[in-house]
Amino acid sequence: MKHYLSINDIDSLHDWVDEAITLKKDPYLFESLGKRKTICLLFFNNSLRTRLSTQKAAMHLGMEVMIMNFGNEGWALEYGDGTVMDKGTSEHIKEAAQVVSQYADIVAIRAFASLVDKTKDDAEEVINGFAKYATIPVVNMESSVGHPLQALADAITLKENETKKRPKVVLSWAPHPKALPHAVANSFVQMMKLQDADFVITHPEGYELNPELTQGCQIEYDQDKALENADFVYVKNWSSYSEYGKVLSWDTNWTMTQQKLGQAKFMHCLPVRRNMIVEDAVLDGGQSLVVQQAKNRIFSAQLVLKKILENL
Ligand code: CP
């Protein structure tokens, strides 16, 4: 594998999850693999889990780690071909990506959706620009369209907690005061399509995700109905895709409660707004898997870096 840009770069989810669980048992087993190799983590947006878990994963593999908050410390990048750069941008992605490639062996990038320009966001100009012009492998640490490291960690967490062969997994929208991107939900959907599970997506009308991604998925607008007999409930807010980037509803009837959760396990990628997305009782109770999901971010990143290092 050269790049890890989306869930489509996973050749066998089942094998990857098993290998990540093996790595988790002995994280330093491959500590020589990354010796004298450098990973550069470029953040155009904030992070807690992605930054620290990817750094930790690289450390387990013996790598050197360089981190830059590109969003507020780097030059404003230009992506257009043939642009006369007489406005706000100072450096072209062509040079930036090639220059980073002189300093590191792998580059990992976080660049969220603008939620303003759907065409540009769907084109993933930052991550695809780096993949096009860098001469080293590129890892997606959440782009405008996907968060494949999170979805791989979620697959690991599902496997660790499954009690039946074909669990019922529900992805439920929840209210949030700000417009949030679709990346986590998109990658979760893509990952679930690779699973043997009864998978249901529930959200208010108007919150349909990109239909190209949800094609073939069961969509249920009645949250109570969707949650019946669920084994896992993954809760996430996202803004409207059809009315791009808009918040259409704050309906707190969609907030996840202990009563609605029933016996199911609760999942969320974090950070989470308490008593907006989910009530305290769920997060503080024994059915919440959110900290385990965050821990598994180390091993999803470590598996991806290991596969790339083995191919360098
Ligand atoms: N889940 C996740 O990606 O967390 P951060 O935004 O804190 O990295």
Side-chain angles (χ1 to χ4, degrees):
M1 183 179 67
K2 182 164 186 206
H3 304 303
Y4 185 64
L5 302 178
S6 83
I7 291 294
N8 297 330
D9 291 315
I10 299 176
D11 52 14
S12 165
L13 180 64
H14 178 267
D15 291 348
W16 281 41
V17 167
D18 281 353
E19 193 176 343
I21 290 171
T22 304
L23 282 177
K24 189 174 178 179
K25 288 181 189 139
D26 190 357
Y28 288 99
L29 189 60
F30 297 94
E31 66 181 322
S32 302
L33 187 64
K35 192 176 174 195
R36 301 209 179 142
K37 302 285 185 209
T38 301
I39 185 167
C40 179
L41 311 183
L42 300 181
F43 286 89
F44 291 77
N45 306 95
N46 295 350
S47 172
L48 171 65
R49 279 143 291 271
T50 303
R51 177 169 172 159
L52 297 183
S53 64
T54 309
Q55 185 170 8
K56 182 76 174 163
M59 288 158 62
H60 280 160
L61 293 165
M63 299 187 80
E64 307 282 344
V65 185
M66 299 194 297
I67 302 178
M68 180 172 179
N69 292 321
F70 208 105
N72 51 21
E73 294 169 1
W75 300 109
L77 291 184
E78 176 61 47
Y79 300 92
D81 245 347
T83 308
V84 178
M85 289 170 56
D86 59 355
K87 296 198 171 61
T89 55
S90 305
E91 176 156 31
H92 202 281
I93 181 80
K94 288 184 185 181
E95 284 77 50
Q98 289 181 74
V99 168
V100 170
S101 305
Q102 309 309 306
Y103 307 146
D105 301 283
I106 301 173
V107 59
I109 294 154
R110 163 164 285 199
F112 289 172
S114 67
L115 295 179
V116 175
D117 188 328
K118 187 180 193 172
T119 308
K120 275 192 180 169
D121 285 347
D122 280 350
E124 302 228 76
E125 62 180 5
V126 183
I127 195 102
N128 284 340
F130 272 93
K132 184 172 178 185
Y133 295 115
T135 55
I136 55 176
V138 177
V139 174
N140 183 345
M141 296 196 296
E142 188 172 341
S143 64
S144 45
V145 171
H147 196 355
L149 287 175
Q150 180 66 52
L152 180 55
D154 297 336
I156 298 165
T157 311
L158 284 169
K159 172 78 178 186
E160 289 176 328
N161 289 279
E162 72 182 12
T163 55
K164 59 171 81 151
K165 200 159 170 35
R166 192 179 153 78
K168 179 172 180 183
V169 181
V170 179
L171 171 63
S172 179
W173 179 91
H176 193 284
K178 287 170 66 179
L180 294 191
H182 310 92
V184 170
N186 286 345
S187 289
F188 189 75
V189 168
Q190 286 181 294
M191 181 276 289
M192 284 309 304
K193 286 168 87 169
L194 303 176
Q195 297 271 17
D196 184 15
D198 175 11
F199 178 51
V200 183
I201 306 171
T202 185
H203 53 71
E205 290 192 41
Y207 277 98
E208 292 77 11
L209 292 162
N210 182 345
E212 283 176 24
L213 294 178
T214 57
Q215 195 177 19
C217 294
Q218 188 185 339
I219 296 169
E220 171 58 64
Y221 295 113
D222 180 335
Q223 190 193 37
D224 290 337
K225 208 167 155 191
L227 292 172
E228 279 170 12
N229 301 315
D231 296 297
F232 296 92
V233 179
Y234 198 108
V235 179
K236 183 75 186 81
N237 170 269
W238 59 87
S239 55
S240 175
Y241 184 72
S242 52
E243 293 187 54
Y244 193 64
K246 287 202 175 142
V247 175
L248 306 179
S249 167
W250 277 45
D251 185 356
T252 50
N253 286 317
W254 283 79
T255 299
M256 189 51 53
T257 63
Q258 185 61 50
Q259 192 187 4
K260 283 197 235 176
L261 188 65
Q263 298 305 308
K265 300 283 189 190
F266 173 80
M267 298 179 75
H268 189 282
C269 60
L270 302 180
V272 69
R273 294 209 181 206
R274 282 176 172 252
N275 304 309
M276 189 77 209
I277 296 280
V278 55
E279 67 176 13
D280 283 340
V282 173
L283 281 171
D284 297 334
Q287 290 160 244
S288 173
L289 300 180
V290 298
V291 175
Q292 190 176 342
Q293 285 174 264
K295 178 165 184 172
N296 284 336
R297 290 294 308 276
I298 300 170
F299 303 101
S300 68
Q302 191 168 334
L303 180 68
V304 166
L305 297 183
K306 175 178 174 284
K307 285 181 177 291
I308 291 174
L309 287 168
E310 285 168 341
N311 210 33
L312 280 183

PDB file of all heavy atoms in Angstrom, residues 47-50 110 147 150 269-270 297, ligand 1:
ATOM      1  N   SER A  47      -7.040  19.140  16.826  1.00  0.00           N
ATOM      2  CA  SER A  47      -7.101  17.703  17.100  1.00  0.00           C
ATOM      3  C   SER A  47      -6.602  17.421  18.509  1.00  0.00           C
ATOM      4  O   SER A  47      -5.709  18.102  19.015  1.00  0.00           O
ATOM      5  CB  SER A  47      -6.213  16.940  16.116  1.00  0.00           C
ATOM      6  OG  SER A  47      -6.116  15.583  16.492  1.00  0.00           O
ATOM      7  N   LEU A  48      -7.158  16.400  19.134  1.00  0.00           N
ATOM      8  CA  LEU A  48      -6.580  15.816  20.346  1.00  0.00           C
ATOM      9  C   LEU A  48      -6.165  14.367  20.029  1.00  0.00           C
ATOM     10  O   LEU A  48      -4.984  14.023  20.003  1.00  0.00           O
ATOM     11  CB  LEU A  48      -7.595  15.830  21.508  1.00  0.00           C
ATOM     12  CG  LEU A  48      -7.152  15.038  22.754  1.00  0.00           C
ATOM     13  CD1 LEU A  48      -5.937  15.651  23.408  1.00  0.00           C
ATOM     14  CD2 LEU A  48      -8.292  14.968  23.776  1.00  0.00           C
ATOM     15  N   ARG A  49      -7.172  13.538  19.715  1.00  0.00           N
ATOM     16  CA  ARG A  49      -6.946  12.109  19.514  1.00  0.00           C
ATOM     17  C   ARG A  49      -6.043  11.805  18.316  1.00  0.00           C
ATOM     18  O   ARG A  49      -5.112  11.000  18.415  1.00  0.00           O
ATOM     19  CB  ARG A  49      -8.290  11.377  19.304  1.00  0.00           C
ATOM     20  CG  ARG A  49      -9.023  11.083  20.578  1.00  0.00           C
ATOM     21  CD  ARG A  49     -10.494  11.253  20.377  1.00  0.00           C
ATOM     22  NE  ARG A  49     -10.796  12.660  20.179  1.00  0.00           N
ATOM     23  CZ  ARG A  49     -11.065  13.506  21.181  1.00  0.00           C
ATOM     24  NH1 ARG A  49     -11.120  13.070  22.403  1.00  0.00           N
ATOM     25  NH2 ARG A  49     -11.281  14.799  20.948  1.00  0.00           N
ATOM     26  N   THR A  50      -6.335  12.431  17.192  1.00  0.00           N
ATOM     27  CA  THR A  50      -5.611  12.081  15.965  1.00  0.00           C
ATOM     28  C   THR A  50      -4.139  12.425  16.107  1.00  0.00           C
ATOM     29  O   THR A  50      -3.258  11.650  15.721  1.00  0.00           O
ATOM     30  CB  THR A  50      -6.242  12.812  14.779  1.00  0.00           C
ATOM     31  OG1 THR A  50      -7.624  12.447  14.735  1.00  0.00           O
ATOM     32  CG2 THR A  50      -5.575  12.451  13.475  1.00  0.00           C
ATOM     33  N   ARG A 110      -4.351  16.466   8.096  1.00  0.00           N
ATOM     34  CA  ARG A 110      -5.742  16.734   8.510  1.00  0.00           C
ATOM     35  C   ARG A 110      -6.179  18.044   7.882  1.00  0.00           C
ATOM     36  O   ARG A 110      -5.568  19.097   8.111  1.00  0.00           O
ATOM     37  CB  ARG A 110      -5.854  16.815  10.031  1.00  0.00           C
ATOM     38  CG  ARG A 110      -7.130  17.487  10.470  1.00  0.00           C
ATOM     39  CD  ARG A 110      -7.494  17.262  11.923  1.00  0.00           C
ATOM     40  NE  ARG A 110      -8.014  15.924  12.110  1.00  0.00           N
ATOM     41  CZ  ARG A 110      -8.742  15.540  13.167  1.00  0.00           C
ATOM     42  NH1 ARG A 110      -9.018  16.405  14.130  1.00  0.00           N
ATOM     43  NH2 ARG A 110      -9.185  14.302  13.266  1.00  0.00           N
ATOM     44  N   HIS A 147     -12.727  10.062   7.176  1.00  0.00           N
ATOM     45  CA  HIS A 147     -11.842   9.926   8.345  1.00  0.00           C
ATOM     46  C   HIS A 147     -11.537   8.432   8.496  1.00  0.00           C
ATOM     47  O   HIS A 147     -12.024   7.758   9.417  1.00  0.00           O
ATOM     48  CB  HIS A 147     -12.542  10.484   9.576  1.00  0.00           C
ATOM     49  CG  HIS A 147     -11.630  10.763  10.741  1.00  0.00           C
ATOM     50  ND1 HIS A 147     -10.284  10.432  10.745  1.00  0.00           N
ATOM     51  CD2 HIS A 147     -11.877  11.342  11.953  1.00  0.00           C
ATOM     52  CE1 HIS A 147      -9.756  10.806  11.910  1.00  0.00           C
ATOM     53  NE2 HIS A 147     -10.699  11.353  12.654  1.00  0.00           N
ATOM     54  N   GLN A 150     -10.236   6.845  11.806  1.00  0.00           N
ATOM     55  CA  GLN A 150     -11.291   6.700  12.816  1.00  0.00           C
ATOM     56  C   GLN A 150     -12.137   5.464  12.517  1.00  0.00           C
ATOM     57  O   GLN A 150     -12.426   4.657  13.413  1.00  0.00           O
ATOM     58  CB  GLN A 150     -12.181   7.956  12.828  1.00  0.00           C
ATOM     59  CG  GLN A 150     -13.301   7.903  13.843  1.00  0.00           C
ATOM     60  CD  GLN A 150     -12.802   7.911  15.277  1.00  0.00           C
ATOM     61  OE1 GLN A 150     -12.014   8.764  15.670  1.00  0.00           O
ATOM     62  NE2 GLN A 150     -13.240   6.947  16.082  1.00  0.00           N
ATOM     63  N   CYS A 269     -16.996   9.186  18.032  1.00  0.00           N
ATOM     64  CA  CYS A 269     -15.572   9.382  17.730  1.00  0.00           C
ATOM     65  C   CYS A 269     -14.881  10.350  18.694  1.00  0.00           C
ATOM     66  O   CYS A 269     -13.665  10.351  18.793  1.00  0.00           O
ATOM     67  CB  CYS A 269     -15.425   9.891  16.305  1.00  0.00           C
ATOM     68  SG  CYS A 269     -16.269  11.472  16.029  1.00  0.00           S
ATOM     69  N   LEU A 270     -15.658  11.211  19.387  1.00  0.00           N
ATOM     70  CA  LEU A 270     -15.142  12.293  20.234  1.00  0.00           C
ATOM     71  C   LEU A 270     -14.418  13.342  19.373  1.00  0.00           C
ATOM     72  O   LEU A 270     -13.838  12.961  18.351  1.00  0.00           O
ATOM     73  CB  LEU A 270     -14.225  11.791  21.341  1.00  0.00           C
ATOM     74  CG  LEU A 270     -14.831  10.759  22.326  1.00  0.00           C
ATOM     75  CD1 LEU A 270     -13.768  10.371  23.363  1.00  0.00           C
ATOM     76  CD2 LEU A 270     -16.081  11.283  23.009  1.00  0.00           C
ATOM     77  N   ARG A 297      -7.505   4.202  18.242  1.00  0.00           N
ATOM     78  CA  ARG A 297      -6.927   5.086  17.229  1.00  0.00           C
ATOM     79  C   ARG A 297      -5.413   4.838  17.112  1.00  0.00           C
ATOM     80  O   ARG A 297      -4.839   4.984  16.040  1.00  0.00           O
ATOM     81  CB  ARG A 297      -7.218   6.551  17.565  1.00  0.00           C
ATOM     82  CG  ARG A 297      -8.685   6.960  17.395  1.00  0.00           C
ATOM     83  CD  ARG A 297      -9.106   6.906  15.937  1.00  0.00           C
ATOM     84  NE  ARG A 297      -8.180   7.657  15.119  1.00  0.00           N
ATOM     85  CZ  ARG A 297      -8.256   8.976  14.931  1.00  0.00           C
ATOM     86  NH1 ARG A 297      -9.235   9.670  15.461  1.00  0.00           N
ATOM     87  NH2 ARG A 297      -7.373   9.595  14.169  1.00  0.00           N
TER      88      ARG A 297
HETATM   89  N1   CP B   1     -11.947  11.598  16.701  1.00  0.00           N
HETATM   90  C1   CP B   1     -11.000  12.479  16.355  1.00  0.00           C
HETATM   91  O1   CP B   1     -10.540  12.501  15.190  1.00  0.00           O
HETATM   92  O2   CP B   1     -10.600  13.274  17.378  1.00  0.00           O
HETATM   93  P1   CP B   1      -9.707  14.590  17.213  1.00  0.00           P
HETATM   94  O3   CP B   1     -10.511  15.547  16.333  1.00  0.00           O
HETATM   95  O4   CP B   1      -9.506  15.132  18.610  1.00  0.00           O
HETATM   96  O5   CP B   1      -8.435  14.235  16.548  1.00  0.00           O
END
